[in-house]
Amino acid sequence: MAHYFEIKKNKAGEFVAYFKYNSETIFWTEGYSSKVSAKNAIESIKKNGPAAETREAE
């Protein structure tokens, strides 16, 4: 699969969820104190992302 989520620890020791496409990072979440919280963020993105509207900044 060309796209996937990856959870890694950052330099501060927090868990961050990265969304990657062809191994290139497209976006990432804030840092979380637990891996479970990072997994919850991924599930929220999967659940709520498809219905999110697109806005243009002016």
Side-chain angles (χ1 to χ4, degrees):
M1 186 174 271
H3 53 280
Y4 57 94
F5 285 96
E6 180 176 67
I7 298 173
K8 299 190 296 186
K9 274 191 172 182
N10 63 14
K11 291 179 182 179
E14 301 168 318
F15 294 94
V16 179
Y18 295 85
F19 180 73
K20 297 190 170 196
Y21 181 76
N22 288 335
S23 299
E24 182 177 337
T25 300
I26 305 300
F27 68 85
W28 58 92
T29 66
E30 62 183 282
Y32 295 97
S33 58
S34 71
K35 190 180 281 188
V36 170
S37 294
K39 287 181 179 182
N40 288 340
I42 292 170
E43 291 307 314
S44 177
I45 292 166
K46 288 179 178 180
K47 178 182 174 185
N48 299 306
E53 64 181 277
T54 301
R55 294 182 182 178
E56 293 186 29
E58 295 188 33

